[in-house]
Short mmCIF file of all heavy atoms in Angstrom, two decimals:
data_model
loop_
_atom_site.label_atom_id
_atom_site.label_comp_id
_atom_site.label_asym_id
_atom_site.label_seq_id
_atom_site.Cartn_x
_atom_site.Cartn_y
_atom_site.Cartn_z
N VAL A 1 143.88 148.73 321.53
CA VAL A 1 143.63 147.79 322.63
C VAL A 1 143.02 148.54 323.81
O VAL A 1 143.62 149.43 324.36
CB VAL A 1 144.94 147.09 323.02
CG1 VAL A 1 144.72 146.10 324.12
CG2 VAL A 1 145.55 146.40 321.81
N MET A 2 141.79 148.14 324.19
CA MET A 2 141.07 148.69 325.34
C MET A 2 140.41 147.51 326.09
O MET A 2 140.76 146.39 325.80
CB MET A 2 140.06 149.71 324.84
CG MET A 2 140.73 150.89 324.20
SD MET A 2 139.75 151.91 323.12
CE MET A 2 138.25 152.12 323.95
N THR A 3 139.39 147.61 327.07
CA THR A 3 138.87 146.46 327.86
C THR A 3 137.40 146.40 328.33
O THR A 3 136.75 147.38 328.34
CB THR A 3 139.72 146.26 329.12
OG1 THR A 3 140.61 147.27 329.30
CG2 THR A 3 140.36 144.96 329.17
N SER A 4 136.88 145.16 328.93
CA SER A 4 135.53 144.95 329.50
C SER A 4 135.41 143.69 330.36
O SER A 4 136.09 142.73 330.08
CB SER A 4 134.51 144.97 328.37
OG SER A 4 133.52 144.03 328.42
N PRO A 5 134.53 143.66 331.40
CA PRO A 5 134.56 142.57 332.39
C PRO A 5 133.95 141.26 331.92
O PRO A 5 133.25 141.20 330.95
CB PRO A 5 133.77 143.13 333.56
CG PRO A 5 132.82 144.09 332.96
CD PRO A 5 133.48 144.61 331.70
N GLY A 6 134.20 140.24 332.72
CA GLY A 6 133.58 138.96 332.48
C GLY A 6 134.48 138.02 331.73
O GLY A 6 134.99 138.35 330.68
N ASN A 7 134.69 136.85 332.28
CA ASN A 7 135.51 135.85 331.61
C ASN A 7 134.82 134.51 331.80
O ASN A 7 135.10 133.77 332.74
CB ASN A 7 136.92 135.84 332.18
CG ASN A 7 137.88 135.05 331.33
OD1 ASN A 7 137.56 134.71 330.19
ND2 ASN A 7 139.04 134.76 331.85
N ALA A 8 133.87 134.21 330.93
CA ALA A 8 133.09 132.99 331.02
C ALA A 8 133.99 131.77 330.80
O ALA A 8 135.06 131.88 330.23
CB ALA A 8 131.98 133.02 329.98
N GLN A 9 133.52 130.63 331.25
CA GLN A 9 134.24 129.38 331.01
C GLN A 9 134.37 129.20 329.50
O GLN A 9 133.42 129.38 328.75
CB GLN A 9 133.45 128.22 331.63
CG GLN A 9 134.12 126.88 331.50
CD GLN A 9 135.41 126.79 332.29
OE1 GLN A 9 135.62 127.53 333.24
NE2 GLN A 9 136.29 125.93 331.87
N ALA A 10 135.55 128.82 329.04
CA ALA A 10 135.80 128.67 327.61
C ALA A 10 135.03 127.49 327.04
O ALA A 10 135.02 126.40 327.61
CB ALA A 10 137.29 128.49 327.37
N ASP A 11 134.39 127.70 325.90
CA ASP A 11 133.77 126.64 325.14
C ASP A 11 134.90 125.68 324.73
O ASP A 11 135.96 126.14 324.30
CB ASP A 11 133.11 127.25 323.90
CG ASP A 11 132.53 126.23 322.97
OD1 ASP A 11 133.27 125.72 322.10
OD2 ASP A 11 131.34 125.94 323.11
N PRO A 12 134.72 124.36 324.84
CA PRO A 12 135.80 123.43 324.53
C PRO A 12 136.35 123.58 323.11
O PRO A 12 137.57 123.48 322.90
CB PRO A 12 135.16 122.05 324.72
CG PRO A 12 134.01 122.28 325.64
CD PRO A 12 133.53 123.68 325.36
N LYS A 13 135.49 123.86 322.14
CA LYS A 13 135.93 124.04 320.75
C LYS A 13 136.80 125.31 320.63
O LYS A 13 137.84 125.30 319.98
CB LYS A 13 134.70 124.14 319.84
CG LYS A 13 135.00 124.22 318.37
CD LYS A 13 133.70 124.21 317.58
CE LYS A 13 133.92 124.40 316.11
NZ LYS A 13 132.66 124.43 315.35
N VAL A 14 136.38 126.38 321.30
CA VAL A 14 137.14 127.63 321.28
C VAL A 14 138.48 127.44 322.01
O VAL A 14 139.53 127.87 321.52
CB VAL A 14 136.34 128.78 321.92
CG1 VAL A 14 137.19 130.02 322.12
CG2 VAL A 14 135.12 129.12 321.06
N ALA A 15 138.44 126.79 323.17
CA ALA A 15 139.67 126.57 323.94
C ALA A 15 140.68 125.75 323.14
O ALA A 15 141.88 126.06 323.13
CB ALA A 15 139.34 125.88 325.25
N LYS A 16 140.22 124.71 322.45
CA LYS A 16 141.12 123.88 321.65
C LYS A 16 141.72 124.67 320.49
O LYS A 16 142.92 124.61 320.23
CB LYS A 16 140.38 122.65 321.12
CG LYS A 16 141.26 121.71 320.33
CD LYS A 16 140.51 120.47 319.88
CE LYS A 16 141.44 119.56 319.09
NZ LYS A 16 140.75 118.35 318.65
N ALA A 17 140.88 125.43 319.79
CA ALA A 17 141.37 126.24 318.66
C ALA A 17 142.37 127.29 319.14
O ALA A 17 143.38 127.54 318.48
CB ALA A 17 140.20 126.90 317.94
N MET A 18 142.10 127.91 320.30
CA MET A 18 143.02 128.90 320.84
C MET A 18 144.36 128.26 321.18
O MET A 18 145.43 128.82 320.89
CB MET A 18 142.43 129.58 322.07
CG MET A 18 143.30 130.68 322.65
SD MET A 18 143.52 132.13 321.59
CE MET A 18 141.94 132.94 321.84
N ALA A 19 144.33 127.08 321.79
CA ALA A 19 145.57 126.39 322.14
C ALA A 19 146.40 126.08 320.90
O ALA A 19 147.63 126.26 320.89
CB ALA A 19 145.27 125.11 322.92
N ILE A 20 145.74 125.65 319.83
CA ILE A 20 146.45 125.36 318.57
C ILE A 20 147.04 126.64 317.99
O ILE A 20 148.21 126.67 317.57
CB ILE A 20 145.50 124.69 317.56
CG1 ILE A 20 145.13 123.28 318.04
CG2 ILE A 20 146.12 124.65 316.16
CD1 ILE A 20 143.98 122.64 317.28
N LEU A 21 146.24 127.71 317.95
CA LEU A 21 146.71 128.99 317.41
C LEU A 21 147.95 129.49 318.16
O LEU A 21 148.95 129.87 317.56
CB LEU A 21 145.59 130.03 317.49
CG LEU A 21 145.93 131.44 317.00
CD1 LEU A 21 146.31 131.43 315.53
CD2 LEU A 21 144.74 132.35 317.24
N LYS A 22 147.89 129.45 319.48
CA LYS A 22 149.02 129.92 320.28
C LYS A 22 150.25 129.03 320.13
O LYS A 22 151.37 129.52 320.06
CB LYS A 22 148.59 130.05 321.74
CG LYS A 22 147.58 131.18 321.93
CD LYS A 22 147.00 131.21 323.31
CE LYS A 22 147.90 131.95 324.25
NZ LYS A 22 147.29 132.14 325.58
N ALA A 23 150.04 127.72 320.04
CA ALA A 23 151.16 126.80 319.86
C ALA A 23 151.84 127.02 318.51
O ALA A 23 153.08 127.01 318.41
CB ALA A 23 150.68 125.35 319.99
N GLU A 24 151.06 127.22 317.47
CA GLU A 24 151.63 127.44 316.14
C GLU A 24 152.38 128.76 316.05
O GLU A 24 153.44 128.84 315.44
CB GLU A 24 150.54 127.36 315.07
CG GLU A 24 149.97 125.97 314.89
CD GLU A 24 151.00 124.92 314.48
OE1 GLU A 24 151.82 125.20 313.56
OE2 GLU A 24 151.01 123.84 315.07
N THR A 25 151.84 129.81 316.65
CA THR A 25 152.56 131.09 316.61
C THR A 25 153.83 131.03 317.44
O THR A 25 154.83 131.65 317.08
CB THR A 25 151.67 132.26 317.08
OG1 THR A 25 151.18 132.01 318.39
CG2 THR A 25 150.52 132.49 316.13
N ALA A 26 153.81 130.27 318.53
CA ALA A 26 155.01 130.14 319.37
C ALA A 26 156.15 129.52 318.58
O ALA A 26 157.33 129.86 318.80
CB ALA A 26 154.70 129.30 320.61
N LYS A 27 155.84 128.65 317.63
CA LYS A 27 156.87 128.03 316.79
C LYS A 27 157.57 129.05 315.90
O LYS A 27 158.70 128.83 315.46
CB LYS A 27 156.26 126.93 315.91
CG LYS A 27 155.78 125.73 316.70
CD LYS A 27 155.10 124.74 315.78
CE LYS A 27 154.46 123.60 316.55
NZ LYS A 27 153.73 122.69 315.64
N LEU A 28 156.90 130.15 315.60
CA LEU A 28 157.48 131.18 314.73
C LEU A 28 158.46 132.08 315.47
O LEU A 28 159.33 132.69 314.87
CB LEU A 28 156.37 132.04 314.13
CG LEU A 28 155.41 131.33 313.19
CD1 LEU A 28 154.26 132.25 312.82
CD2 LEU A 28 156.13 130.83 311.95
N GLY A 29 158.28 132.23 316.77
CA GLY A 29 159.15 133.09 317.58
C GLY A 29 158.35 134.03 318.44
O GLY A 29 157.12 134.03 318.43
N ALA A 30 159.06 134.83 319.19
CA ALA A 30 158.44 135.75 320.13
C ALA A 30 157.70 136.87 319.40
O ALA A 30 158.15 137.35 318.36
CB ALA A 30 159.50 136.35 321.05
N PRO A 31 156.56 137.32 319.96
CA PRO A 31 155.83 138.42 319.33
C PRO A 31 156.51 139.77 319.59
O PRO A 31 157.10 139.98 320.65
CB PRO A 31 154.46 138.37 320.02
CG PRO A 31 154.69 137.67 321.31
CD PRO A 31 155.85 136.76 321.12
N LYS A 32 156.43 140.64 318.58
CA LYS A 32 156.97 142.00 318.72
C LYS A 32 156.27 142.91 317.73
O LYS A 32 155.68 142.46 316.76
CB LYS A 32 158.48 142.02 318.48
CG LYS A 32 158.87 141.68 317.05
CD LYS A 32 160.36 141.71 316.83
CE LYS A 32 160.68 141.29 315.38
NZ LYS A 32 162.10 141.25 315.13
N VAL A 33 156.34 144.20 317.99
CA VAL A 33 155.80 145.20 317.09
C VAL A 33 156.97 145.94 316.47
O VAL A 33 157.91 146.34 317.16
CB VAL A 33 154.89 146.19 317.85
CG1 VAL A 33 154.52 147.37 316.98
CG2 VAL A 33 153.63 145.49 318.34
N GLU A 34 156.90 146.11 315.14
CA GLU A 34 157.96 146.80 314.42
C GLU A 34 157.38 147.41 313.15
O GLU A 34 156.70 146.74 312.39
CB GLU A 34 159.05 145.80 314.06
CG GLU A 34 160.30 146.40 313.48
CD GLU A 34 161.36 145.32 313.29
OE1 GLU A 34 161.90 144.85 314.31
OE2 GLU A 34 161.62 144.95 312.13
N GLY A 35 157.63 148.68 312.91
CA GLY A 35 157.13 149.33 311.72
C GLY A 35 155.61 149.46 311.75
O GLY A 35 154.99 149.44 312.81
N THR A 36 155.03 149.60 310.54
CA THR A 36 153.58 149.73 310.43
C THR A 36 153.05 148.85 309.32
O THR A 36 153.80 148.35 308.49
CB THR A 36 153.16 151.19 310.15
OG1 THR A 36 153.74 151.59 308.90
CG2 THR A 36 153.56 152.12 311.25
N ASP A 37 151.74 148.67 309.33
CA ASP A 37 151.01 147.90 308.33
C ASP A 37 149.83 148.72 307.87
O ASP A 37 149.22 149.43 308.66
CB ASP A 37 150.47 146.63 308.97
CG ASP A 37 151.04 145.36 308.37
OD1 ASP A 37 151.71 145.44 307.33
OD2 ASP A 37 150.81 144.30 308.96
N GLN A 38 149.48 148.60 306.61
CA GLN A 38 148.26 149.22 306.10
C GLN A 38 147.24 148.11 305.92
O GLN A 38 147.46 147.18 305.16
CB GLN A 38 148.53 149.93 304.77
CG GLN A 38 147.36 150.76 304.27
CD GLN A 38 147.07 151.95 305.16
OE1 GLN A 38 147.97 152.55 305.71
NE2 GLN A 38 145.80 152.28 305.29
N THR A 39 146.15 148.16 306.67
CA THR A 39 145.10 147.15 306.61
C THR A 39 143.78 147.86 306.39
O THR A 39 143.39 148.68 307.21
CB THR A 39 145.05 146.34 307.92
OG1 THR A 39 146.34 145.81 308.17
CG2 THR A 39 144.06 145.21 307.81
N ALA A 40 143.14 147.51 305.29
CA ALA A 40 141.93 148.20 304.90
C ALA A 40 142.26 149.69 304.85
O ALA A 40 143.20 150.08 304.19
CB ALA A 40 140.77 147.86 305.82
N ASP A 41 141.55 150.52 305.62
CA ASP A 41 141.83 151.96 305.60
C ASP A 41 142.57 152.42 306.85
O ASP A 41 142.57 153.60 307.17
CB ASP A 41 140.53 152.74 305.44
CG ASP A 41 139.56 152.50 306.58
OD1 ASP A 41 139.78 151.56 307.37
OD2 ASP A 41 138.59 153.26 306.70
N LYS A 42 143.22 151.49 307.56
CA LYS A 42 143.89 151.83 308.81
C LYS A 42 145.38 151.54 308.74
O LYS A 42 145.81 150.58 308.12
CB LYS A 42 143.28 151.02 309.96
CG LYS A 42 141.82 151.33 310.23
CD LYS A 42 141.26 150.37 311.26
CE LYS A 42 139.83 150.68 311.58
NZ LYS A 42 138.91 150.43 310.51
N THR A 43 146.15 152.37 309.41
CA THR A 43 147.58 152.12 309.59
C THR A 43 147.76 151.64 311.02
O THR A 43 147.33 152.30 311.96
CB THR A 43 148.41 153.39 309.34
OG1 THR A 43 148.18 153.82 308.01
CG2 THR A 43 149.89 153.12 309.55
N THR A 44 148.35 150.45 311.17
CA THR A 44 148.54 149.86 312.48
C THR A 44 150.00 149.45 312.64
O THR A 44 150.72 149.28 311.66
CB THR A 44 147.65 148.60 312.65
OG1 THR A 44 147.99 147.66 311.64
CG2 THR A 44 146.18 148.95 312.56
N PRO A 45 150.44 149.27 313.87
CA PRO A 45 151.81 148.77 314.07
C PRO A 45 151.95 147.38 313.43
O PRO A 45 151.01 146.59 313.43
CB PRO A 45 151.93 148.68 315.59
CG PRO A 45 150.92 149.65 316.11
CD PRO A 45 149.78 149.59 315.13
N GLY A 46 153.14 147.09 312.88
CA GLY A 46 153.39 145.78 312.28
C GLY A 46 153.63 144.75 313.38
O GLY A 46 154.48 144.95 314.24
N LEU A 47 152.90 143.66 313.36
CA LEU A 47 153.03 142.60 314.36
C LEU A 47 153.83 141.45 313.76
O LEU A 47 153.51 140.97 312.68
CB LEU A 47 151.66 142.10 314.81
CG LEU A 47 151.67 140.97 315.83
CD1 LEU A 47 152.22 141.46 317.17
CD2 LEU A 47 150.29 140.39 316.01
#
């Protein structure tokens, strides 16, 4: 996780999809990192 400027107005289709994604994940519980995951050729923290 790193960063860059600019936050354009959200496209309505993107904003709606993001709201659905966040609402559905909220139903599963709070986010946390635990352990690790192997994805492709990278080892990352387990989300």
Side-chain angles (χ1 to χ4, degrees):
V1 181
M2 296 161 44
T3 8
S4 138
N7 193 13
Q9 183 66 23
D11 175 274
K13 185 176 175 182
V14 171
K16 182 177 180 179
M18 182 67 77
I20 292 168
L21 179 61
K22 292 172 84 173
E24 292 300 315
T25 57
K27 292 176 186 176
L28 296 172
K32 66 180 178 182
V33 170
E34 188 174 289
T36 60
D37 243 349
Q38 188 66 35
T39 305
D41 62 347
K42 296 173 178 68
T43 300
T44 59
L47 179 67

